[in-house]
Amino acid sequence: MTQRGHHFLNIPGPSPVPERVLRAMNRQVIDHRGPDFQKLGREVLAGCQAVFQTKSPVVIYPGSGTGAWEATIVNTLSPGDRVLMVETGHFASLWKKMADRWGVEVDFVPGDWRSGVDPALVEAKLSEDKAHAIKAVAVVHNETSTGVTSRIAEIRKAIDAANHPALLLVDSISGLASADLRHDEWGVDVTVSCSQKGLMLPPGLGFTAISDKALAASKTNTMPRSYWDWAEMMKPNADGWFPYTPATNLLWGLNEAIAILLEEGLENVFARHQRLAAATRAAVEAWGLEILCRNPKEYSPVLTAVMMPPSHDADVFRKIALEKYDISLGTGLAKLQGKVFRIGHLGECNELMLIGALSGVEMGLSAAGVPHRSGGVQAAMASLEGAKTQNAPLRAVAG
Ligand code: PLP
């Protein structure tokens, strides 16, 4: 069936691209060795520092988030180095697998895929490591497979409390520009991100923000690298250039996306995400469904993962919602497949877009015969209005 109106892309990335960003990219390719490019290069590199909340360099790769993960490993670690990681979900597991392949010895603390990294655990593990054999703590800020955030500022404090020199490596691939992430203030050594989530761009760019300490590590570590080598990138970046052909049109888009974020103000961007996430949770609770994230302190502002009632398949529901209402919802990944669906509420999303999406979910649940209570959308509206649904006074109709 042909659908009219716009598609609702409510997966937790890639997220919808604002019209302004689409228009900024819709232009002829320019000479990447010419003066127009140099100006663009300088602007985006400086703009990234604002978004990562850092004065340190941010390296932009043509690549996906997975590439930026690899850049982080090969620039900071040596084969045989020990790294502490926690199994927060699918993406933490994939990053761990990549570290294994690079010959890193990962102390992988098992997790239930419903919780973030426990700062007390980090402190205990590092306190035991008197010889400072652990070279890095690598955590996922916003675990996109579960809708659980880890408290990075508290993890930093835990590392400091243990008086341990380990690097703090943070995957904020789906957190950046949606959830607060202060690279400098929180003492993060490498923040990893990509273009297609909070930055509201198409896929195709990977980022690493690099502290002085991480940069120093990159000068002595022994992991082989070429494409991902920070030194190769940072030399030309100092004047706005790239060592090879950059993704020029994505950089035009990035420049515009950064302008949009800074016009709104990062504080307001984060508050909007919190508001939309709270409204989504109000809807889920009203439906009588369970949120995967166990700890309210770890609720994600980016996405909400919803558990399906037993003997109902989340992917069957998603398929029906897509076919009937033209809405894409996130699938359950790996061991969560069929058991959860994920509602993305990040980036180019506002109150009415969210209410539209939640209506699609509620009608989709009905169409798929998933047991639930109605009234989720109303609860979300009440949450957005800052009111309680129950006993709300009847509203006077302006006449
Ligand atoms: N880490 C997290 C938290 C993610 O959400 C993703 C992708 O969704 C990745 C890593 C991998 O990024 P990419 O698919 O861009 O390679």
Side-chain angles (χ1 to χ4, degrees), residues 64-66 69 91 140 142 144 171 173 196-197:
S64 80
T66 303
W69 266 350
F91 290 103
V140 175
N142 185 74
T144 325
D171 165 347
I173 281 180
Q196 73 269 21
K197 312 269 186 184

Side-chain angles (χ1 to χ4, degrees), residues 68-148:
W69 266 350
E70 184 153 316
T72 305
I73 292 172
V74 297
N75 280 290
T76 60
L77 301 171
S78 300
D81 275 356
R82 280 184 60 198
V83 171
L84 176 63
M85 296 177 93
V86 180
E87 187 199 355
T88 48
H90 180 59
F91 290 103
S93 304
L94 286 183
W95 201 12
K96 185 260 178 195
K97 204 192 260 179
M98 177 187 272
D100 286 344
R101 289 184 183 138
W102 279 101
V104 170
E105 296 284 319
V106 182
D107 181 353
F108 197 49
V109 181
D112 63 0
W113 291 41
R114 300 189 69 175
S115 314
V117 175
D118 178 3
L121 176 133
V122 172
E123 185 177 341
K125 286 271 181 193
L126 294 184
S127 299
E128 279 167 22
D129 177 34
K130 303 278 182 239
H132 295 169
I134 296 174
K135 297 297 173 207
V137 177
V139 296
V140 175
H141 176 209
N142 185 74
E143 180 50 84
T144 325
S145 62
T146 62
V148 177

Side-chain angles (χ1 to χ4, degrees), residues 212-273:
D212 288 348
K213 193 167 151 191
L215 195 59
S218 76
K219 303 221 162 106
T220 55
N221 81 318
T222 60
M223 206 73 94
R225 62 214 185 243
S226 172
Y227 182 79
W228 303 114
D229 195 349
W230 284 338
E232 292 294 315
M233 265 290 204
M234 284 169 65
K235 257 179 280 161
N237 276 183
D239 291 319
W241 305 115
F242 283 66
Y244 44 70
T245 316
T248 322
N249 286 43
L250 279 173
L251 296 181
W252 286 118
L254 175 61
N255 214 21
E256 192 67 18
I258 291 169
I260 292 173
L261 288 166
L262 298 182
E263 278 164 29
E264 185 176 354
L266 290 182
E267 287 299 311
N268 298 326
V269 171
F270 303 144
R272 171 169 52 83
H273 280 80

Side-chain angles (χ1 to χ4, degrees), residues 315-355:
D315 286 343
V316 171
F317 152 70
R318 286 176 51 253
K319 183 167 182 286
I320 290 171
L322 176 63
E323 285 170 0
K324 264 186 100 70
Y325 300 112
D326 202 19
I327 180 169
S328 291
L329 297 162
T331 188
L333 293 168
K335 70 179 188 187
L336 295 175
Q337 177 144 32
K339 299 193 168 70
V340 307
F341 65 93
R342 296 171 300 148
I343 306 171
H345 31 74
L346 66 155
E348 176 77 341
C349 189
N350 65 25
E351 275 83 353
L352 294 192
M353 290 160 84
L354 182 74
I355 291 299

